[in-house]
Amino acid sequence: MAEITFQNKEDANQFHNYIQKQLHSISFDKKMILLFEDENKAKVKIDKAVKEILEACKKAFLQFVIKIKLNDWFKLILKEQYFYEDEDEQQQILDIIQSILDGNRADLESLIHDLNMNKQIETAISQMFEEQRTFSFDSFVRFRMRPFMEKLEKFVEISIDEYKMEQEYQMYIQTLRQFLAKRAPKINHLHLLMEDGVTFYDEQYYEIRRAELVRMIDRRLISNHPVYIDSVTIAPLLSIAPSTIYLYTDDYEQPLVRTIQNIFEERVQLKEMADFYQNRTAFF
């Protein structure tokens, strides 16, 4: 029998449950997998002589680490190394970490080398089961997982930086919304064409030249707000404060489009560029 000791009894129970799930379709003697508990710790014993049991145990161990302990470790790093005590802040950072792990943040993935953590953990688990009959989960984490734990710290570091940038961005958006709320529209309906740059058109589809846009910019917007404001697009839009912005683009996901939507919210109507040329031709 192989024996794995857990200092945390809940960990032992969860690991034991994962093994049961792995073996749910196999008929086996319950004595091949045993769970013992005392006051301070718990032990899971498995029969290494049965190949199906051993493989199920390895898979269960991997699932236990990835689905349960990984999140615990990230929280511990956030709390002990970066002093994030607030659960809501922790969760927002954890969401960013998860988005990296899920492959949804290519921009952040590029900052972390060798993302295949599952393979690293799987290798460490396999080696441990082959070399040891009896081991402690805590020792496994402390020694076998040391390089892996250092990588977790990198995930946390990058995600905290991203979280701070997102917080600053939200403050920036809120500041500009407050400025916008106090302004009366200079033009009710504005057409904004995003093609090889940004071009402004008035309600009659006449182009508003750059010099005129510059004259329209409210200088208080630049001087009274200690945040960077794009003088080419955002500053003129805020100064004009149109009731409706018809924004024509073939890329709704580009950052500038999202920023305009976040500031002007329901005032923005997204259109395809083909709509602009069709509407302008019909207007004239």
Side-chain angles (χ1 to χ4, degrees):
M1 298 286 282
E3 182 179 289
I4 308 168
T5 303
F6 293 83
Q7 297 301 318
N8 184 316
K9 288 192 285 187
E10 180 60 26
D11 283 347
N13 271 289
Q14 288 175 320
F15 172 54
H16 186 256
N17 288 337
Y18 274 120
I19 299 176
Q20 302 288 342
K21 290 177 184 177
Q22 285 291 327
L23 294 168
H24 74 280
S25 61
I26 301 174
S27 177
F28 64 97
D29 186 345
K30 300 297 182 182
K31 293 182 180 179
M32 292 178 176
I33 306 172
L34 301 172
L35 174 64
F36 298 96
E37 297 184 31
D38 59 28
E39 280 189 33
N40 301 316
K41 58 187 178 181
K43 296 179 181 180
V44 177
K45 294 187 177 184
I46 64 164
D47 190 341
K48 285 180 65 175
V50 181
K51 184 179 179 181
E52 290 83 355
I53 299 291
L54 180 60
E55 291 306 311
C57 190
K58 289 179 182 179
K59 290 178 182 178
F61 206 100
L62 178 62
Q63 288 184 331
F64 168 67
V65 169
I66 294 296
K67 295 181 179 180
I68 303 296
K69 297 310 296 180
L70 199 57
N71 207 53
D72 292 344
W73 293 333
F74 281 135
K75 282 186 176 180
L76 193 64
I77 294 170
L78 281 170
K79 188 174 181 179
E80 293 190 350
Q81 296 189 30
Y82 294 95
F83 310 106
Y84 279 91
E85 301 281 350
D86 184 81
E87 290 187 4
D88 183 58
E89 282 192 311
Q90 286 181 4
Q91 190 56 54
Q92 290 184 62
I93 297 169
L94 289 171
D95 288 343
I96 296 171
I97 293 172
Q98 190 60 52
S99 69
I100 301 174
L101 293 173
D102 290 342
N104 298 326
R105 293 298 301 267
D107 54 329
L108 301 181
E109 284 179 28
S110 62
L111 303 175
I112 302 172
H113 302 292
D114 189 12
L115 281 169
N116 195 352
M117 293 197 302
N118 286 25
K119 189 63 178 177
Q120 294 177 30
I121 302 169
E122 191 175 358
T123 300
I125 291 169
S126 183
Q127 288 175 347
M128 179 62 81
F129 275 95
E130 288 171 8
E131 296 170 9
Q132 304 288 336
R133 290 187 61 84
T134 300
F135 64 89
S136 158
F137 176 73
D138 295 82
S139 296
F140 170 79
V141 172
R142 189 176 303 113
F143 299 108
R144 299 275 179 161
M145 301 288 285
R146 183 177 296 170
F148 174 78
M149 299 301 288
E150 291 172 358
K151 182 164 291 187
L152 295 192
E153 292 175 11
K154 185 65 175 177
F155 270 90
V156 172
E157 177 188 335
I158 289 171
S159 298
I160 286 174
D161 288 343
E162 182 66 14
Y163 169 71
K164 289 179 177 178
M165 288 176 62
E166 289 180 3
Q167 292 298 105
E168 290 172 2
Y169 176 76
Q170 292 304 323
M171 290 177 62
Y172 165 78
I173 294 296
Q174 186 58 35
T175 298
L176 299 187
R177 282 177 183 167
Q178 291 170 354
F179 177 86
L180 179 65
K182 300 174 184 177
R183 296 189 63 80
K186 289 185 178 181
I187 297 175
N188 282 325
H189 306 298
L190 184 76
H191 299 274
L192 198 65
L193 180 64
M194 299 185 71
E195 180 184 34
D196 299 326
V198 181
T199 310
F200 287 66
Y201 294 85
D202 65 16
E203 293 168 308
Q204 285 75 44
Y205 288 92
Y206 285 105
E207 181 180 349
I208 305 174
R209 300 290 181 180
R210 179 65 192 157
E212 187 177 352
L213 287 173
V214 170
R215 286 195 296 271
M216 289 174 133
I217 294 176
D218 188 330
R219 297 302 159 187
R220 291 173 300 175
L221 180 61
I222 307 298
S223 60
N224 295 348
H225 292 79
V227 293
Y228 170 75
I229 299 175
D230 168 25
S231 61
V232 175
T233 305
I234 302 300
L237 280 175
L238 285 166
S239 300
I240 297 170
S243 301
T244 307
I245 300 172
Y246 296 98
L247 198 162
Y248 303 87
T249 179
D250 287 339
D251 182 6
Y252 293 168
E253 297 302 317
Q254 60 180 296
L256 182 55
V257 172
R258 292 201 304 270
T259 295
I260 293 171
Q261 285 184 290
N262 286 335
I263 297 171
F264 293 88
E265 301 179 292
E266 71 279 355
R267 301 190 193 199
V268 179
Q269 293 193 25
L270 293 179
K271 304 281 186 179
E272 295 181 359
M273 284 196 294
D275 293 331
F276 172 80
Y277 293 108
Q278 183 178 345
N279 295 344
R280 192 171 189 236
T281 300
F283 192 87
F284 288 110

